[in-house]
Amino acid sequence: MQQAQAQTMASAAGITSGQIQKNRILGSNSKPFVGIVLKKPQQVGALPLHVRGSIASSPWKLFSPKAAAPKSGDGIRIAVLGASGYTGAEIVRFLASHPQFHTKVMTADRKAGEQFGSVFPHLRTLDLPRLVAIKDADFSDVDAVFCCLPHGTTQEIIKSLPRHLKIVDLSADFRLRDINEYAEWYGHSHRAPELQEEAVYGLTELQRDDIRNARLVANPGCYPTSIQLPLVPLVKAKLIKLTNIIIDAKSGVSGAGRGAKEANLYTEIAEGIHAYGITSHRHVPEIEQGLTDAAESKVTISFTPHLMCMTRGMQSTIYVELASGVTPRDLYEHLKSTYEDEEFVKLLHGSSTPHTNHVKGSNYCFMNVYEDRIPGRAIIISVIDNLVKGASGQALQNLNLMMGLPENMGLQYPPLFP
Protein backbone atom coordinates (compact mmCIF):
# COMPACT_ATOMS: atom_id res chain seq x y z
CA MET A 1 0.00 0.00 0.00
CA GLN A 2 1.48 3.31 -0.98
CA GLN A 3 1.92 5.90 1.71
CA ALA A 4 -0.49 8.44 0.17
CA GLN A 5 -3.23 5.79 -0.10
CA ALA A 6 -2.66 4.69 3.48
CA GLN A 7 -2.88 8.25 4.75
CA THR A 8 -6.12 8.82 2.78
CA MET A 9 -7.66 5.69 4.31
CA ALA A 10 -6.47 6.65 7.77
CA SER A 11 -7.94 10.13 7.38
CA ALA A 12 -11.27 8.70 6.26
CA ALA A 13 -11.28 6.41 9.29
CA GLY A 14 -10.66 9.28 11.66
CA ILE A 15 -6.98 8.71 12.36
CA THR A 16 -5.22 12.02 12.59
CA SER A 17 -1.84 11.10 14.00
CA GLY A 18 -1.14 7.50 12.95
CA GLN A 19 1.42 7.03 10.21
CA ILE A 20 2.21 4.06 8.02
CA GLN A 21 5.84 3.41 8.86
CA LYS A 22 8.30 1.93 6.46
CA ASN A 23 10.42 -1.04 7.37
CA ARG A 24 13.50 -2.36 5.70
CA ILE A 25 13.23 -5.77 4.07
CA LEU A 26 15.33 -7.79 1.68
CA GLY A 27 15.69 -6.16 -1.74
CA SER A 28 14.12 -7.15 -5.03
CA ASN A 29 17.18 -8.23 -7.02
CA SER A 30 16.79 -11.75 -5.70
CA LYS A 31 14.07 -13.82 -4.09
CA PRO A 32 14.33 -12.97 -0.38
CA PHE A 33 14.47 -15.49 2.43
CA VAL A 34 11.46 -13.73 3.94
CA GLY A 35 11.55 -13.34 7.70
CA ILE A 36 14.95 -14.95 8.18
CA VAL A 37 18.27 -13.16 8.49
CA LEU A 38 20.51 -14.21 5.62
CA LYS A 39 24.18 -14.57 6.35
CA LYS A 40 24.98 -12.83 3.02
CA PRO A 41 22.01 -10.81 1.79
CA GLN A 42 22.60 -9.40 -1.70
CA GLN A 43 20.84 -6.10 -1.21
CA VAL A 44 18.76 -4.24 1.32
CA GLY A 45 15.85 -2.19 0.07
CA ALA A 46 13.30 0.14 1.59
CA LEU A 47 9.81 -1.15 0.95
CA PRO A 48 6.69 -0.47 3.04
CA LEU A 49 5.62 -3.08 5.58
CA HIS A 50 2.44 -4.70 4.25
CA VAL A 51 0.25 -6.45 6.76
CA ARG A 52 -3.23 -7.88 6.49
CA GLY A 53 -5.80 -6.53 8.92
CA SER A 54 -3.70 -3.47 9.66
CA ILE A 55 -4.92 -0.54 11.72
CA ALA A 56 -5.59 1.38 8.52
CA SER A 57 -8.13 -1.08 7.18
CA SER A 58 -9.47 -4.09 8.98
CA PRO A 59 -11.13 -2.61 12.12
CA TRP A 60 -13.34 -0.31 10.07
CA LYS A 61 -14.28 -3.09 7.72
CA LEU A 62 -15.46 -5.19 10.63
CA PHE A 63 -17.74 -2.52 12.02
CA SER A 64 -18.63 1.12 11.75
CA PRO A 65 -18.31 3.02 15.05
CA LYS A 66 -21.21 5.24 14.00
CA ALA A 67 -23.44 2.30 13.12
CA ALA A 68 -22.41 0.37 16.21
CA ALA A 69 -23.04 3.21 18.65
CA PRO A 70 -25.75 2.13 21.10
CA LYS A 71 -29.04 3.92 21.33
CA SER A 72 -29.87 5.80 24.48
CA GLY A 73 -30.26 3.36 27.33
CA ASP A 74 -28.64 0.50 25.42
CA GLY A 75 -25.15 -0.93 25.71
CA ILE A 76 -23.30 -3.32 27.99
CA ARG A 77 -22.76 -2.13 31.54
CA ILE A 78 -19.27 -2.65 32.94
CA ALA A 79 -17.74 -2.78 36.42
CA VAL A 80 -13.98 -2.36 36.87
CA LEU A 81 -12.71 -3.84 40.13
CA GLY A 82 -9.33 -2.49 41.21
CA ALA A 83 -9.57 0.59 39.01
CA SER A 84 -6.78 2.45 40.81
CA GLY A 85 -4.02 0.19 39.46
CA TYR A 86 -2.25 0.44 36.12
CA THR A 87 -4.25 -2.33 34.43
CA GLY A 88 -7.48 -0.83 35.76
CA ALA A 89 -6.56 2.58 34.36
CA GLU A 90 -5.79 1.04 30.96
CA ILE A 91 -9.17 -0.71 30.95
CA VAL A 92 -10.89 2.60 31.69
CA ARG A 93 -8.89 4.33 28.94
CA PHE A 94 -10.04 1.78 26.36
CA LEU A 95 -13.63 1.74 27.61
CA ALA A 96 -13.84 5.51 27.07
CA SER A 97 -13.95 5.01 23.29
CA HIS A 98 -15.79 1.70 23.20
CA PRO A 99 -19.14 2.10 21.41
CA GLN A 100 -20.93 -0.68 23.33
CA PHE A 101 -19.32 -0.87 26.80
CA HIS A 102 -20.24 1.74 29.42
CA THR A 103 -18.52 2.01 32.79
CA LYS A 104 -21.08 1.94 35.62
CA VAL A 105 -19.10 0.78 38.67
CA MET A 106 -15.46 1.36 39.63
CA THR A 107 -13.91 0.06 42.82
CA ALA A 108 -10.74 0.95 44.71
CA ASP A 109 -10.93 0.27 48.42
CA ARG A 110 -8.12 2.65 49.44
CA LYS A 111 -9.42 5.39 47.13
CA ALA A 112 -13.13 4.94 47.87
CA GLY A 113 -15.11 8.17 47.53
CA GLU A 114 -12.58 9.83 45.24
CA GLN A 115 -13.09 10.92 41.66
CA PHE A 116 -11.17 8.78 39.19
CA GLY A 117 -9.55 11.89 37.72
CA SER A 118 -7.86 12.62 41.03
CA VAL A 119 -6.29 9.15 41.02
CA PHE A 120 -5.30 9.27 37.34
CA PRO A 121 -5.21 12.93 36.25
CA HIS A 122 -4.56 12.02 32.61
CA LEU A 123 -8.14 10.65 32.50
CA ARG A 124 -9.79 13.54 34.39
CA THR A 125 -11.83 14.62 31.34
CA LEU A 126 -13.84 11.39 31.34
CA ASP A 127 -17.33 11.33 32.82
CA LEU A 128 -17.05 8.43 35.28
CA PRO A 129 -18.69 7.27 38.51
CA ARG A 130 -16.91 7.82 41.81
CA LEU A 131 -14.71 5.06 43.13
CA VAL A 132 -16.31 2.85 45.79
CA ALA A 133 -15.19 0.01 48.02
CA ILE A 134 -15.99 -3.44 46.67
CA LYS A 135 -18.30 -4.12 49.62
CA ASP A 136 -20.37 -1.08 48.58
CA ALA A 137 -20.53 -1.88 44.87
CA ASP A 138 -23.97 -2.44 43.37
CA PHE A 139 -23.86 -5.09 40.63
CA SER A 140 -27.60 -5.10 39.91
CA ASP A 141 -27.10 -2.80 36.90
CA VAL A 142 -23.92 -4.49 35.65
CA ASP A 143 -23.52 -7.04 32.86
CA ALA A 144 -19.79 -7.74 32.92
CA VAL A 145 -16.75 -7.26 35.15
CA PHE A 146 -13.06 -6.62 34.61
CA CYS A 147 -11.28 -7.78 37.75
CA CYS A 148 -7.94 -5.97 38.08
CA LEU A 149 -7.19 -6.93 41.67
CA PRO A 150 -3.86 -8.29 42.97
CA HIS A 151 -3.02 -11.99 42.82
CA GLY A 152 -4.43 -13.95 45.74
CA THR A 153 -7.36 -11.59 46.38
CA THR A 154 -9.56 -12.40 43.42
CA GLN A 155 -10.85 -15.92 44.07
CA GLU A 156 -13.08 -15.12 47.04
CA ILE A 157 -14.32 -11.87 45.48
CA ILE A 158 -15.30 -13.47 42.18
CA LYS A 159 -16.94 -16.32 44.09
CA SER A 160 -19.18 -13.75 45.79
CA LEU A 161 -20.28 -12.00 42.58
CA PRO A 162 -23.73 -12.62 41.02
CA ARG A 163 -23.74 -15.56 38.62
CA HIS A 164 -25.24 -13.56 35.75
CA LEU A 165 -22.03 -11.56 35.30
CA LYS A 166 -19.48 -12.22 32.59
CA ILE A 167 -16.02 -11.87 34.15
CA VAL A 168 -12.49 -11.34 32.83
CA ASP A 169 -9.95 -11.74 35.63
CA LEU A 170 -6.57 -10.10 35.03
CA SER A 171 -4.91 -11.69 38.06
CA ALA A 172 -3.19 -15.08 38.08
CA ASP A 173 -5.85 -16.62 40.35
CA PHE A 174 -7.55 -18.74 37.68
CA ARG A 175 -4.78 -19.30 35.12
CA LEU A 176 -3.48 -22.62 36.41
CA ARG A 177 -5.92 -25.51 35.99
CA ASP A 178 -4.17 -27.65 38.60
CA ILE A 179 -5.09 -26.17 41.99
CA ASN A 180 -2.23 -28.08 43.64
CA GLU A 181 0.24 -26.47 41.27
CA TYR A 182 -1.35 -23.11 42.06
CA ALA A 183 -0.80 -23.71 45.78
CA GLU A 184 2.84 -24.69 45.15
CA TRP A 185 3.67 -21.53 43.19
CA TYR A 186 1.48 -18.96 44.96
CA GLY A 187 1.94 -20.12 48.54
CA HIS A 188 -1.68 -20.74 49.55
CA SER A 189 -4.50 -23.11 48.68
CA HIS A 190 -6.97 -22.21 45.96
CA ARG A 191 -10.03 -20.56 47.52
CA ALA A 192 -12.50 -21.19 44.70
CA PRO A 193 -11.74 -24.60 43.17
CA GLU A 194 -15.29 -24.92 41.84
CA LEU A 195 -14.78 -21.76 39.78
CA GLN A 196 -11.41 -22.99 38.53
CA GLU A 197 -13.22 -25.85 36.81
CA GLU A 198 -15.23 -23.44 34.66
CA ALA A 199 -12.51 -20.84 34.05
CA VAL A 200 -11.23 -20.58 30.47
CA TYR A 201 -7.67 -19.48 29.76
CA GLY A 202 -7.89 -16.38 27.57
CA LEU A 203 -5.03 -16.26 25.08
CA THR A 204 -7.36 -14.80 22.50
CA GLU A 205 -5.82 -15.82 19.19
CA LEU A 206 -5.37 -19.41 20.35
CA GLN A 207 -8.48 -20.02 22.51
CA ARG A 208 -11.08 -18.00 20.63
CA ASP A 209 -13.86 -20.62 20.50
CA ASP A 210 -13.64 -21.46 24.21
CA ILE A 211 -13.60 -17.76 25.14
CA ARG A 212 -16.80 -17.03 23.21
CA ASN A 213 -18.78 -19.44 25.36
CA ALA A 214 -17.12 -18.67 28.70
CA ARG A 215 -18.57 -16.93 31.75
CA LEU A 216 -15.19 -16.59 33.50
CA VAL A 217 -11.98 -15.96 31.56
CA ALA A 218 -8.52 -16.02 33.12
CA ASN A 219 -6.61 -13.34 31.25
CA PRO A 220 -3.03 -14.48 30.53
CA GLY A 221 0.03 -12.93 32.11
CA CYS A 222 2.24 -10.57 30.13
CA TYR A 223 5.28 -12.83 29.79
CA PRO A 224 3.15 -15.88 28.90
CA THR A 225 1.38 -13.87 26.19
CA SER A 226 4.59 -12.74 24.51
CA ILE A 227 6.05 -16.26 24.72
CA GLN A 228 3.11 -18.51 23.89
CA LEU A 229 1.97 -16.57 20.82
CA PRO A 230 5.09 -17.60 18.87
CA LEU A 231 5.81 -20.93 20.58
CA VAL A 232 2.43 -22.69 20.80
CA PRO A 233 1.90 -22.93 17.01
CA LEU A 234 5.46 -24.20 16.52
CA VAL A 235 5.13 -26.80 19.27
CA LYS A 236 1.77 -28.00 17.91
CA ALA A 237 3.30 -28.40 14.45
CA LYS A 238 6.27 -30.31 15.92
CA LEU A 239 8.70 -27.91 14.25
CA ILE A 240 10.88 -27.44 17.32
CA LYS A 241 12.27 -29.80 19.91
CA LEU A 242 10.65 -29.69 23.33
CA THR A 243 13.98 -29.69 25.14
CA ASN A 244 16.37 -26.81 25.58
CA ILE A 245 13.85 -23.99 25.10
CA ILE A 246 15.55 -20.90 26.54
CA ILE A 247 13.68 -17.63 27.10
CA ASP A 248 15.35 -14.33 27.99
CA ALA A 249 12.58 -11.80 28.71
CA LYS A 250 12.60 -8.15 29.69
CA SER A 251 9.81 -5.95 31.05
CA GLY A 252 9.11 -2.35 31.92
CA VAL A 253 8.59 -1.40 35.56
CA SER A 254 4.82 -0.97 35.23
CA GLY A 255 4.59 -4.78 35.18
CA ALA A 256 5.31 -4.69 38.92
CA GLY A 257 2.13 -2.72 39.60
CA ARG A 258 1.46 0.68 41.17
CA GLY A 259 2.09 -0.20 44.78
CA ALA A 260 5.04 1.48 46.50
CA LYS A 261 7.95 -0.95 46.71
CA GLU A 262 11.53 -0.17 47.65
CA ALA A 263 12.89 -2.36 44.83
CA ASN A 264 10.99 -0.24 42.30
CA LEU A 265 12.19 3.18 43.43
CA TYR A 266 13.84 5.30 40.77
CA THR A 267 17.29 5.02 42.33
CA GLU A 268 16.94 1.24 42.51
CA ILE A 269 15.91 0.90 38.84
CA ALA A 270 17.51 3.76 36.91
CA GLU A 271 20.61 3.28 34.78
CA GLY A 272 20.60 -0.45 35.15
CA ILE A 273 19.03 -3.81 34.37
CA HIS A 274 18.68 -6.83 36.60
CA ALA A 275 17.29 -10.32 36.50
CA TYR A 276 14.69 -11.41 39.04
CA GLY A 277 12.63 -14.50 39.85
CA ILE A 278 15.47 -16.66 38.53
CA THR A 279 14.12 -20.26 38.19
CA SER A 280 11.14 -19.26 40.36
CA HIS A 281 9.03 -16.72 38.48
CA ARG A 282 5.31 -17.45 38.84
CA HIS A 283 4.70 -17.24 35.11
CA VAL A 284 6.78 -20.38 34.56
CA PRO A 285 3.96 -22.88 35.29
CA GLU A 286 1.56 -20.84 33.15
CA ILE A 287 3.92 -20.94 30.16
CA GLU A 288 4.68 -24.63 30.67
CA GLN A 289 0.97 -25.42 30.96
CA GLY A 290 0.30 -23.88 27.53
CA LEU A 291 3.29 -25.53 25.86
CA THR A 292 2.49 -28.89 27.45
CA ASP A 293 -1.07 -28.70 26.13
CA ALA A 294 0.26 -27.92 22.67
CA ALA A 295 2.80 -30.76 22.76
CA GLU A 296 0.54 -33.25 24.56
CA SER A 297 3.57 -34.10 26.67
CA LYS A 298 5.41 -32.37 29.50
CA VAL A 299 7.46 -29.33 28.49
CA THR A 300 9.98 -27.68 30.80
CA ILE A 301 11.56 -24.35 29.91
CA SER A 302 14.48 -22.22 31.05
CA PHE A 303 13.01 -18.76 31.71
CA THR A 304 14.75 -15.69 33.13
CA PRO A 305 12.94 -12.33 33.33
CA HIS A 306 14.70 -8.98 33.64
CA LEU A 307 13.52 -5.58 34.82
CA MET A 308 14.29 -2.68 32.48
CA CYS A 309 14.41 1.00 33.26
CA MET A 310 11.39 1.86 31.11
CA THR A 311 7.73 2.40 31.95
CA ARG A 312 6.09 -0.13 29.66
CA GLY A 313 7.02 -2.69 27.06
CA MET A 314 8.13 -6.31 26.97
CA GLN A 315 10.52 -8.30 24.82
CA SER A 316 10.95 -12.06 24.87
CA THR A 317 13.98 -13.46 23.07
CA ILE A 318 13.44 -17.18 22.60
CA TYR A 319 16.11 -19.72 21.63
CA VAL A 320 14.85 -23.01 20.19
CA GLU A 321 16.30 -26.17 18.72
CA LEU A 322 14.83 -27.18 15.37
CA ALA A 323 13.23 -30.57 14.81
CA SER A 324 14.98 -32.88 12.37
CA GLY A 325 14.79 -31.59 8.80
CA VAL A 326 13.26 -28.24 9.82
CA THR A 327 14.76 -24.88 8.88
CA PRO A 328 14.29 -21.42 10.41
CA ARG A 329 12.33 -20.51 7.29
CA ASP A 330 9.86 -23.30 8.11
CA LEU A 331 9.24 -21.66 11.49
CA TYR A 332 8.66 -18.31 9.84
CA GLU A 333 6.30 -19.68 7.21
CA HIS A 334 4.25 -21.57 9.80
CA LEU A 335 3.87 -18.49 12.00
CA LYS A 336 3.01 -16.48 8.90
CA SER A 337 0.22 -18.87 7.92
CA THR A 338 -1.03 -19.04 11.52
CA TYR A 339 -1.34 -15.29 12.01
CA GLU A 340 -1.77 -13.87 8.49
CA ASP A 341 -5.45 -13.03 9.12
CA GLU A 342 -5.00 -11.85 12.69
CA GLU A 343 -5.68 -8.26 13.65
CA PHE A 344 -3.13 -7.91 16.42
CA VAL A 345 -0.32 -10.42 15.83
CA LYS A 346 2.12 -9.36 13.12
CA LEU A 347 5.12 -11.19 11.72
CA LEU A 348 7.71 -8.71 10.48
CA HIS A 349 9.48 -8.96 7.12
CA GLY A 350 13.10 -9.76 6.37
CA SER A 351 15.62 -8.75 8.98
CA SER A 352 13.29 -6.22 10.68
CA THR A 353 13.69 -6.35 14.43
CA PRO A 354 10.67 -6.01 16.72
CA HIS A 355 11.00 -3.00 19.03
CA THR A 356 8.99 -2.43 22.20
CA ASN A 357 8.62 1.24 21.19
CA HIS A 358 6.78 0.17 18.06
CA VAL A 359 3.89 -1.44 19.98
CA LYS A 360 3.65 1.03 22.88
CA GLY A 361 0.07 1.79 23.90
CA SER A 362 -1.36 -0.74 21.42
CA ASN A 363 -2.75 -4.26 21.46
CA TYR A 364 -0.20 -5.52 18.95
CA CYS A 365 2.36 -8.29 19.21
CA PHE A 366 5.23 -7.97 16.71
CA MET A 367 7.53 -10.96 16.16
CA ASN A 368 10.18 -12.30 13.84
CA VAL A 369 12.35 -15.41 13.35
CA TYR A 370 16.11 -15.48 12.84
CA GLU A 371 18.61 -18.16 11.92
CA ASP A 372 21.07 -18.73 14.76
CA ARG A 373 24.81 -19.01 14.10
CA ILE A 374 24.66 -22.39 15.82
CA PRO A 375 23.43 -24.94 13.26
CA GLY A 376 20.01 -26.41 14.01
CA ARG A 377 18.86 -23.50 16.17
CA ALA A 378 16.67 -20.44 15.66
CA ILE A 379 15.98 -17.22 17.57
CA ILE A 380 12.49 -15.75 17.91
CA ILE A 381 11.88 -12.20 19.15
CA SER A 382 8.41 -11.17 20.34
CA VAL A 383 7.39 -7.75 21.69
CA ILE A 384 4.20 -6.44 23.29
CA ASP A 385 3.06 -3.62 25.53
CA ASN A 386 2.85 -5.39 28.88
CA LEU A 387 -0.13 -3.27 29.98
CA VAL A 388 -2.12 -3.72 26.76
CA LYS A 389 -1.67 -6.98 24.87
CA GLY A 390 -0.10 -8.29 28.07
CA ALA A 391 -3.08 -7.28 30.21
CA SER A 392 -5.92 -4.78 29.64
CA GLY A 393 -6.05 -4.81 25.84
CA GLN A 394 -6.28 -8.57 25.68
CA ALA A 395 -8.88 -8.48 28.46
CA LEU A 396 -11.05 -6.16 26.36
CA GLN A 397 -10.45 -8.36 23.31
CA ASN A 398 -11.72 -11.31 25.35
CA LEU A 399 -14.83 -9.58 26.69
CA ASN A 400 -15.70 -8.45 23.17
CA LEU A 401 -15.74 -12.12 22.16
CA MET A 402 -17.75 -13.13 25.22
CA MET A 403 -20.36 -10.51 24.37
CA GLY A 404 -20.59 -11.44 20.69
CA LEU A 405 -18.89 -8.25 19.47
CA PRO A 406 -16.02 -7.81 17.00
CA GLU A 407 -12.98 -8.54 19.10
CA ASN A 408 -11.13 -5.43 17.90
CA MET A 409 -13.90 -3.07 19.08
CA GLY A 410 -12.46 -0.27 21.22
CA LEU A 411 -8.89 -1.35 20.45
CA GLN A 412 -8.20 0.65 17.28
CA TYR A 413 -5.28 2.49 18.79
CA PRO A 414 -2.13 2.66 16.65
CA PRO A 415 1.08 2.41 18.64
CA LEU A 416 2.31 5.61 20.29
CA PHE A 417 5.71 6.82 19.11
CA PRO A 418 8.00 8.41 20.10
Side-chain angles (χ1 to χ4, degrees):
M1 181 183 294
Q2 296 181 354
Q3 188 174 9
Q5 293 174 320
Q7 289 174 338
T8 300
M9 291 180 65
S11 176
I15 300 176
T16 58
S17 60
Q19 298 292 329
I20 305 301
Q21 297 192 7
K22 293 186 177 182
N23 291 262
R24 302 189 67 82
I25 67 173
L26 296 178
S28 59
N29 287 349
S30 62
K31 293 182 179 180
F33 191 3
V34 180
I36 308 298
V37 178
L38 287 176
K39 294 181 180 177
K40 294 181 180 180
Q42 293 184 5
Q43 181 180 350
V44 176
L47 301 177
L49 174 65
H50 176 71
V51 292
R52 297 181 64 179
S54 69
I55 57 170
S57 58
S58 179
W60 290 275
K61 289 181 180 178
L62 285 175
F63 80 104
S64 163
K66 183 175 181 180
K71 298 177 181 178
S72 178
D74 292 341
I76 297 167
R77 301 162 298 180
I78 302 295
V80 181
L81 309 187
S84 61
Y86 291 140
T87 59
E90 284 291 89
I91 288 284
V92 173
R93 179 171 73 93
F94 287 124
L95 291 176
S97 62
H98 198 289
Q100 293 288 350
F101 292 164
H102 306 288
T103 306
K104 295 297 183 182
V105 174
M106 303 169 67
T107 77
D109 285 2
R110 287 179 295 177
K111 303 288 185 179
E114 296 186 30
Q115 293 284 1
F116 190 71
S118 68
V119 179
F120 285 106
H122 70 295
L123 298 175
R124 60 165 37 111
T125 59
L126 301 181
D127 183 15
L128 295 166
R130 282 186 180 271
L131 295 166
V132 298
I134 290 179
K135 65 180 179 62
D136 298 324
D138 180 3
F139 295 100
S140 61
D141 290 327
V142 171
D143 303 304
V145 171
F146 289 108
C147 193
C148 306
L149 297 167
H151 308 313
T153 65
T154 299
Q155 291 159 1
E156 290 181 325
I157 289 172
I158 290 182
K159 185 166 61 173
S160 69
L161 294 178
R163 289 286 301 178
H164 75 275
L165 296 173
K166 298 272 191 177
I167 302 166
V168 180
D169 177 30
L170 281 76
S171 81
D173 281 15
F174 293 97
R175 294 175 190 162
L176 300 182
R177 290 191 304 271
D178 186 336
I179 60 175
N180 294 321
E181 188 170 38
Y182 174 87
E184 176 185 346
W185 284 88
Y186 286 88
H188 63 86
S189 60
H190 202 291
R191 300 185 178 106
E194 68 283 0
L195 287 181
Q196 185 61 63
E197 294 180 3
E198 71 167 294
V200 169
Y201 188 71
L203 191 58
T204 317
E205 285 76 13
L206 302 180
Q207 274 93 19
R208 198 170 265 124
D209 291 340
D210 292 336
I211 294 166
R212 282 194 182 97
N213 300 315
R215 187 188 76 89
L216 169 61
V217 167
N219 212 59
C222 45
Y223 286 123
T225 294
S226 68
I227 292 164
Q228 290 182 94
L229 282 173
L231 283 188
V232 166
L234 301 179
V235 169
K236 279 187 175 180
K238 304 185 186 305
L239 295 176
I240 60 174
K241 295 183 179 180
L242 303 181
T243 56
N244 205 21
I245 297 174
I246 301 169
I247 304 162
D248 178 324
K250 298 173 176 65
S251 175
V253 183
S254 59
R258 204 183 190 200
K261 305 180 185 73
E262 181 179 302
N264 295 338
L265 294 173
Y266 177 81
T267 50
E268 306 289 332
I269 299 296
E271 301 178 21
I273 174 177
H274 69 269
Y276 67 101
I278 302 169
T279 75
S280 61
H281 195 281
R282 289 172 171 177
H283 284 173
V284 167
E286 183 181 343
I287 299 165
E288 292 182 345
Q289 174 180 265
L291 299 184
T292 295
D293 289 348
E296 298 182 339
S297 64
K298 178 63 178 174
V299 176
T300 302
I301 62 171
S302 177
F303 170 68
T304 305
H306 302 76
L307 192 62
M308 300 292 293
C309 184
M310 59 185 186
T311 300
R312 59 166 82 204
M314 175 166 288
Q315 174 176 310
S316 292
T317 304
I318 307 166
Y319 305 88
V320 297
E321 191 171 351
L322 303 173
S324 179
V326 173
T327 67
R329 180 170 184 170
D330 294 329
L331 304 191
Y332 182 91
E333 292 298 334
H334 186 70
L335 289 173
K336 180 181 177 183
S337 66
T338 299
Y339 292 120
E340 63 182 347
D341 294 322
E342 289 294 342
E343 178 80 22
F344 297 116
V345 181
K346 299 302 175 187
L347 203 61
L348 303 189
H349 296 302
S351 59
S352 296
T353 304
H355 288 208
T356 58
N357 274 345
H358 297 166
V359 296
K360 184 186 296 183
S362 78
N363 199 48
Y364 287 100
C365 172
F366 287 176
M367 64 177 74
N368 209 344
V369 180
Y370 307 87
E371 182 178 4
D372 201 338
R373 292 178 60 248
I374 301 174
R377 295 192 65 87
I379 303 168
I380 304 165
I381 297 178
S382 168
V383 299
I384 61 173
D385 185 319
N386 58 292
L387 292 178
V388 187
K389 186 58 175 171
S392 304
Q394 185 158 227
L396 182 55
Q397 196 178 353
N398 284 331
L399 190 60
N400 280 336
L401 277 175
M402 296 164 74
M403 292 302 185
L405 300 172
E407 68 184 61
N408 66 349
M409 188 174 280
L411 289 168
Q412 291 80 35
Y413 287 88
L416 177 65
F417 183 84

